[in-house]
Structures are given as C-alpha cells and as structure tokens.
Amino acid sequence: MNGVVFDHTALLAFGAGHQLLSGLVVQAHREHGRHLFVPALCLAGAAAQRPALGEHVGALPVLDVVELRYSGALAVGRLVKQGVDWELAHAVVLGRPGPEWPQGRPVLTETPKAYAGLGVLTIDVG
C-alpha cells in the first residue's frame, strides 16, 4: 500500500487515537514512498465535528491535504448530483484509478458500504 486516502470517518478515528491509523502515519514518517492523502472536503467534514483535528492534520507533513481543483470540483459535483454524500465524493474522486494512480488508491473508512458501486477499493478501519 504505497498510497491511501483517508475519508472523514478515518480522520475522525485517527484523531481519536485509532491504533492502525496512527501506526500508518508513524510508518509513513519513517519510510520514504508512503503517501497518505487527505481530501480537503473530507478534512472539512471531520473538522466540522472535531475542530482541533484540522490543526492536528495540518501539523503532520506526511498527511497530504489534496485541494479540490477545477476537474475535481466538477467530478465531485457530478457525484453529489447522483446522490453521493459530499463528505464521500472527494474521497471517491481521489480513490478512483487515474493517470497518476492507474490502480487507484484504497480509501480508508469506517463506512465501506457507503462506497458500494462507486468504483473505489475501500479498507474498513472500523
């Protein structure tokens, strides 16, 4: 697993001291080539519930907060129009296969069923 995406539920679990997720962050600090992605909308959703979490994530350089740029905004908008929760949509966009990640990136989540049929691999951290 060279690259994973933290959704808002995984971020909340990480902020609450989830052992596996905390271990991933520590391991990524130690090993070059591990990429931990935090979709900006997922961070917003998690920070809305736990405001200090946003500052904590921002202080960890190994957690790469991914902005929602033009093409991402359009893709998220399409997903939201289809009924996908906005807190999931940015994680879906980052998790799907693309030019940089042809196999896609697994999405770490406590709600894997919410991603059913959306074209992403999930890892249940619940």
Side-chain angles (χ1 to χ4, degrees):
M1 237 182 344
N2 289 339
V4 295
V5 176
F6 281 65
D7 81 352
H8 68 289
T9 65
L11 288 170
L12 289 167
F14 168 69
H18 190 285
Q19 220 169 21
L20 170 71
L21 297 174
S22 296
L24 278 176
V25 172
V26 168
Q27 188 176 18
H29 276 288
R30 292 182 183 155
E31 294 179 24
H32 181 69
R34 299 245 179 220
H35 303 283
L36 307 178
F37 299 99
V38 176
L41 288 181
C42 294
L43 180 58
Q49 294 181 49
R50 293 189 64 183
L53 181 59
E55 293 176 19
H56 183 63
V57 168
L60 296 169
V62 72
L63 293 175
D64 183 10
V65 178
V66 180
E67 298 175 359
L68 186 62
R69 296 178 180 234
Y70 177 75
S71 62
L74 295 179
V76 165
R78 286 190 294 273
L79 287 167
V80 170
K81 183 177 180 176
Q82 294 170 12
V84 175
D85 189 304
W86 69 270
E87 288 179 315
L88 304 178
H90 197 183
V92 170
V93 170
L94 289 182
R96 286 180 172 165
E100 287 185 65
W101 296 89
Q103 302 300 319
R105 295 173 266 199
V107 175
L108 303 174
T109 183
E110 288 193 325
T111 58
K113 290 181 182 177
Y115 291 89
L118 296 175
V120 295
L121 172 66
T122 58
I123 297 174
D124 187 352
V125 298

